[in-house]
Amino acid sequence: MNWIIAFLPAVGWGLIPIISGKIPSSRPLNEIYGTGIGAVIIGIIFTIIAHPKMSIGIFLLAMISGIGWAVGQIGQFISFTNIGVTKTMPISAGLQLIGSCLIGGLIFHEWNSPKAIFLGILALVLMVVGVFLTSMSKGYNESNQLKDFLLLLFTSIGFWIYATFPKTVKVSGKDLFLPQMIGILLGAIIYLVFSKKTAAFKEKASYWNILTGFSFSIGACAYIFSVEENGVASAFIYSQIAVVIATLGGMYILGDKKHGKDLVLTLVGLALIVAGSFIS
């Protein structure tokens, strides 16, 4: 196994909340717009180097899946502000994994044997318990916790679309990369226009967040090569370490620290989510 390629997606995706969290005056609208610009830049560079094959139909569908990712990431960015990185990331990652596991098992028939069904259900149970434990920690406005959880739940549908789209078409991930990155930027622009937050187009924080987009898209690009080098199962499993990097980074770099029972609940929940991803 190529360990560097295997871990690059986790590093790229795990650094997203850390980079955006260190940018002065950065708001969710700056973060998603800057991420979209950065993603398109890397997408163009990748296309020039890799010369992927594209058809108009696949291009448009891949672009829609990129818009789905933007919806999911908007939910994450808003939650980083509302409840912090250390609470958002385990919950969001757990919801993404649960959705992907159910879609893979029920729609794409990946649970095609008694053993697969058992492991799939076990993975779901571990991840659900993990999400529950991480959501139990205190220190936030209790009246808003359900609202924040529902925001992550509904916006995670966008992540499910992005993650499962490659299974619906028989093309290489290289062919999908640029249109998905364009879709992310398009989704960000739609969000800013319809929320009447177009001032973000001129704010410095938006353009500093291009670095956030670089981090995401380099991770996504590395994931394509990791799938080719290490196989889908191994590439997916190692990419999920991103939630550990993001959560620990939130604690020790962004100062979103936890203590006592809250720390124990978060770490145990995190371990269960990662364990569930390995089993799934």
Side-chain angles (χ1 to χ4, degrees):
M1 172 180 288
N2 190 319
W3 293 101
I4 295 177
I5 293 177
F7 281 105
L8 266 179
V11 174
W13 296 338
L15 289 176
I16 289 173
I18 299 171
I19 294 172
S20 63
K22 296 296 288 184
I23 294 173
S25 304
S26 183
R27 297 178 290 162
L29 49 94
N30 303 122
E31 290 155 2
I32 192 60
Y33 179 54
T35 297
I37 297 174
V40 169
I41 291 172
I42 297 298
I44 292 171
I45 294 171
F46 175 83
T47 300
I48 292 172
I49 296 172
H51 303 290
K53 299 176 182 178
M54 298 184 198
S55 68
I56 294 178
I58 295 298
F59 189 97
L60 292 175
L61 288 172
M63 195 164 64
I64 291 171
S65 77
I67 293 174
W69 186 91
V71 170
Q73 194 58 45
I74 288 168
Q76 272 196 6
F77 282 140
I78 292 173
S79 292
F80 292 158
T81 300
N82 291 347
I83 61 176
V85 171
T86 60
K87 196 164 188 178
T88 296
M89 285 306 297
I91 295 173
S92 179
L95 291 173
Q96 291 175 58
L97 289 166
I98 290 167
S100 297
C101 189
L102 284 172
I103 292 170
L106 300 178
I107 297 178
F108 294 105
H109 307 292
E110 294 176 358
W111 295 352
N112 53 10
S113 69
K115 180 181 178 181
I117 294 171
F118 172 76
L119 291 177
I121 293 174
L122 177 60
L124 282 173
V125 170
L126 289 174
M127 289 186 285
V128 168
V129 174
V131 170
F132 176 74
L133 290 177
T134 56
S135 67
M136 283 178 62
S137 60
K138 307 298 181 181
Y140 303 95
N141 186 331
E142 299 295 323
S143 64
N144 290 330
Q145 287 200 28
L146 178 59
K147 180 179 70 174
D148 294 321
F149 179 83
L150 291 175
L151 171 67
L152 285 172
L153 175 61
F154 287 114
T155 55
S156 288
I157 295 172
F159 283 136
W160 301 346
I161 293 171
Y162 173 81
T164 58
F165 172 72
K167 297 180 181 180
T168 65
V169 292
K170 295 182 179 179
V171 296
S172 167
K174 294 179 182 179
D175 302 336
L176 305 176
F177 189 69
L178 178 60
Q180 285 182 322
M181 300 304 104
I182 292 174
I184 290 169
L185 178 57
L186 180 60
I189 292 172
I190 292 171
Y191 170 65
L192 294 181
V193 170
F194 278 87
S195 62
K196 298 181 180 179
K197 301 290 179 60
T198 54
F201 292 135
K202 301 178 181 178
E203 293 173 354
K204 286 185 179 180
S206 296
Y207 296 96
W208 275 112
N209 270 291
I210 290 175
L211 298 174
T212 309
F214 287 167
S215 184
F216 160 72
S217 52
I218 289 172
C221 182
Y223 184 75
I224 294 171
F225 290 103
S226 182
V227 168
E228 293 182 353
E229 184 76 21
N230 305 313
V232 175
S234 294
F236 176 78
I237 288 168
Y238 285 100
S239 73
Q240 297 313 302
I241 297 173
V243 66
V244 178
I245 295 172
T247 303
L248 295 180
M251 289 184 191
Y252 299 108
I253 297 176
L254 300 180
D256 189 9
K257 294 184 178 180
K258 293 178 178 288
H259 304 279
K261 182 181 177 182
D262 284 354
L263 178 60
V264 172
L265 288 172
T266 297
L267 294 179
V268 173
L270 204 59
L272 290 175
I273 291 169
V274 173
S277 73
F278 271 69
I279 292 173
S280 66

